[in-house]
Amino acid sequence: MGQLAEADIAWRSHWLKQALAVEGDVAAPLEGSDRADVCIVGGGYLGLWTALRLKERDPGLDVVILERDICGGGASGRNSGMVLSAWTKFSALAGLSGEADALRLVKQSAEAIDGIDGFCRAHGIDCWFDRAGWIWGATCAAQSGAWDDPLARLARHDYRPARPVSRDEIAALTGTTSHLAGVFDSSAATIHPGFLVRGLRRAALQAGVRIYEKTAMTRFGRRGAPVVETANGRLQAQKLVLAMNARAAAVPELAPALFIISSDDAISTPMPEKLERAGYARGPLMIDSRVFVSGYRVTADHRLLVGVTGGHIGFGGRVDARFDRPSPRIADMRRALGQGHPALADFEVASAWNCAIDRTASGLPLYGALRGNPDILYGYGFSGNGIGMSFLGGQILASLVTGTEDEWSGSALVRPVTRGFPPEPFRFVGAHFVRGAVRRRDRLEHEDRRPGPVTTWLAGLAPSGVTPSKANIAETGQ
Ligand SMILES: Cc1cc2nc3c(=O)[nH]c(=O)nc-3n(C[C@H](O)[C@H](O)[C@H](O)COP(=O)(O)OP(=O)(O)OC[C@H]3O[C@@H](n4cnc5c(N)ncnc54)[C@H](O)[C@@H]3O)c2cc1C
């Protein structure tokens, strides 16, 4: 075990800096040859939950995680910490294998929130879990009712995950009258992403999982027993799990389903009085109904966290240096807050960062085995909604690794990779047009103006994100 150099801490997200100040040890990289029963590439939530589930099922299994950076260095240590179930994606889920399976997945995703809480309590992980609830709101008339489709379809199954809230009720709960309407889901929670991911790492080490950090997989063999190569070593395993998030786009078999775009977050300096005055000292987390959603929440140490989506687009799925730097989108965040909670728009920024998002066309993750090699498994495509979904993903991948036939391996999310987007360079060029149209439509709708037919058509091509928008309800197999 070693410690990170100062320069390797300074650029990181506020969450990770806070977490590393408490638990800053880094595992040694892989040098030379090693063997394991299971090798997991990626030390984010998905890789860690998978490792933990495997150890729970069979403590004797030798499980190794290879992480190119440090565990939590990716999206798991940089997200907004909003833990939501998947009911908003009911239509897309139903598109995979019908409403009965979709309902089961929605219920499992709600149980995942309790599961995270329960695991953290049992393992002494204080990740500031707070069942604050969630308001999915509309900051302009055109957004109003974005939630109608999934709620109406779920109500037919007698499942009601959220209730309508009026403008006045939203104002009473959050201090802002800018949300014209919305729905309130009391099951949602906020967490500290850094404490969660580094806590999971600690739990994994305690369970006997071996971790190599600062160890990038440079290639892997596709024939026979999986062999992973790194700069200074190689590891042979019986099963290989690729839990690489956006960097899955570097694997040719996984790339077709993926579209890479950044999300940006900023966190304020502690401001208890300002939050109190604004009526948002401890309110539900808020997300609007844009295609490129923006959201905000408060933290246990009285900060405001603001997030915006729809930033940089990755050419050919490349996650380059633009996805690992201070956010250049503070103005967009202030604009979104100006439309959602104006009293907070002038927040003092303590830290701002960005990170790549692994979007699929439907906004749903995929799991399965690489074609032609049942020993190489994958999980990716959380599309910005991965805290709760990766908890489920750990169960799914553990069942796939162990060859267990159960509700997890039989999940509708287990499916082959198919092309979700056009090939390059059409994907990159088209994505810029679509992103521009989404932003234009959004601006016009906030000015109570109707976008033209071309803008409407182009914006309608945008893949689903955290929530489906009224105009982009996806019902697609990928
Ligand atoms: C700004 C932002 C805000 C978000 N907000 C929310 C939110 O509020 N709620 C929510 O549910 N979700 C949110 N998300 C999404 C959520 O963070 C992710 O879906 C989730 O963390 C995915 O976990 P993961 O383990 O798949 O990915 P990651 O945490 O990215 O882990 C993948 C790991 O694989 C490693 N890796 C990749 N390639 C290699 C290689 N070749 N060799 C070795 N290691 C490799 C990476 O370094 C990385 O650590 C947000 C994401 C972002 C970027």
Side-chain angles (χ1 to χ4, degrees):
M1 295 276 179
Q3 295 287 319
L4 280 183
E6 273 301 309
D8 198 6
I9 296 178
W11 68 276
R12 295 184 184 276
S13 74
H14 167 82
W15 302 122
L16 215 45
K17 278 193 245 181
Q18 264 186 339
L20 290 170
V22 183
E23 291 181 70
D25 56 294
V26 185
L30 173 65
E31 307 275 352
S33 293
D34 197 359
R35 279 174 181 273
D37 295 325
V38 183
C39 171
I40 299 173
V41 178
Y45 297 141
L46 182 63
L48 289 162
W49 283 125
T50 304
L52 284 159
R53 293 299 173 216
L54 285 168
K55 282 299 219 181
E56 262 171 30
R57 293 179 189 202
D58 180 356
L61 210 60
D62 184 17
V63 180
V64 168
I65 292 178
L66 299 186
E67 168 52 54
R68 62 181 286 282
D69 182 27
I70 59 169
C71 290
S76 299
R78 300 192 219 177
N79 61 72
S80 311
M82 301 174 175
V83 195
L84 311 174
S85 77
W87 67 262
T88 63
K89 302 190 174 188
F90 184 72
S91 298
L93 286 166
L96 294 181
S97 71
E99 296 211 349
D101 275 358
L103 183 64
R104 186 164 50 246
L105 270 160
V106 166
K107 288 181 176 172
Q108 285 171 343
S109 72
E111 287 158 15
I113 304 176
D114 302 330
I116 293 171
D117 186 24
F119 185 92
C120 289
R121 283 174 195 273
H123 291 81
I125 299 171
D126 181 5
C127 69
W128 296 3
F129 185 96
D130 182 4
R131 185 90 59 175
W134 166 42
I135 289 177
W136 180 7
T139 50
C140 64
Q143 287 180 0
S144 212
W147 41 84
D148 284 347
D149 173 75
L151 285 179
R153 290 179 73 165
L154 281 161
R156 291 204 285 273
H157 297 277
D158 208 17
Y159 188 74
R160 291 174 180 79
R163 65 176 173 83
V165 274
S166 67
R167 186 179 191 165
D168 288 348
E169 199 174 348
I170 298 174
L173 286 166
T174 66
T176 174
T177 52
S178 299
H179 284 263
L180 310 177
V183 285
F184 178 67
D185 168 359
S186 60
S187 75
T190 56
I191 53 137
H192 186 302
F195 288 151
L196 176 61
V197 73
R198 298 301 287 180
L200 293 179
R201 174 185 179 276
R202 174 166 32 90
L205 287 169
Q206 280 165 358
V209 175
R210 296 190 291 132
I211 299 181
Y212 292 111
E213 291 179 298
K214 296 290 179 185
T215 302
M217 173 181 76
T218 49
R219 62 177 296 277
F220 63 92
R222 271 113 172 129
R223 294 236 176 94
V227 177
V228 172
E229 291 182 17
T230 69
N232 298 313
R234 74 198 295 273
L235 192 142
Q236 183 160 11
Q238 286 166 26
K239 299 278 182 183
L240 171 62
V241 178
L242 305 173
M244 299 156 62
N245 194 354
R247 288 178 194 272
V251 178
E253 294 93 327
L254 304 183
L258 262 193
F259 169 64
I260 307 300
I261 189 161
S262 68
S263 282
D264 295 58
D265 273 11
I267 199 158
S268 75
T269 51
M271 47 182 212
E273 293 88 14
K274 190 178 178 76
L275 289 170
E276 193 73 51
R277 270 198 313 277
Y280 195 48
R282 182 195 173 260
L285 66 95
M286 300 287 291
I287 296 181
D288 62 27
S289 304
R290 292 175 164 88
V291 173
F292 294 139
V293 291
S294 60
Y296 51 95
R297 51 161 288 199
V298 284
T299 66
D301 57 355
H302 314 291
R303 297 168 189 265
L304 179 74
L305 180 289
V306 191
V308 290
T309 61
H312 293 308
I313 294 166
F315 181 82
R318 266 197 294 281
V319 182
D320 54 41
R322 293 174 311 151
F323 294 93
D324 290 320
R325 65 176 195 192
S327 171
R329 299 188 61 201
I330 303 295
D332 290 343
M333 295 177 197
R334 294 200 193 283
R335 197 172 309 119
L337 272 177
Q339 288 162 347
H341 208 315
L344 301 173
D346 64 346
F347 72 104
E348 190 182 330
V349 179
S351 174
W353 58 93
N354 74 356
C355 187
I357 294 273
D358 51 346
R359 278 203 177 203
T360 58
S362 64
L364 298 173
L366 295 102
Y367 302 93
L370 283 199
R371 192 176 305 174
N373 197 327
D375 296 327
I376 303 178
L377 303 150
Y378 57 81
Y380 66 115
F382 294 109
S383 304
N385 188 7
I387 305 177
M389 291 305 266
S390 62
F391 180 86
L392 295 188
Q395 296 281 26
I396 292 173
L397 284 171
S399 287
L400 293 177
V401 165
T402 52
T404 312
E405 285 188 22
D406 58 11
E407 58 173 324
W408 302 113
S409 57
S411 166
L413 297 174
V414 177
R415 58 205 203 278
V417 178
T418 53
R419 182 168 290 289
F421 303 97
E424 299 292 12
F426 306 107
R427 177 182 309 198
F428 186 72
V429 175
H432 279 83
F433 279 111
V434 171
R435 187 185 60 181
V438 167
R439 289 181 178 170
R440 200 159 48 249
R441 182 178 73 183
D442 185 48
R443 181 174 48 76
L444 291 168
E445 286 178 348
H446 277 89
E447 293 166 3
D448 274 335
R449 290 163 61 195
R450 283 174 75 87
V454 176
T455 299
T456 304
W457 174 72
L458 274 172
L461 299 176
S464 282
V466 176
T467 52
S469 87
K470 225 157 98 177
N472 295 59
I473 301 267
E475 195 156 338
T476 148
Q478 191 58 268

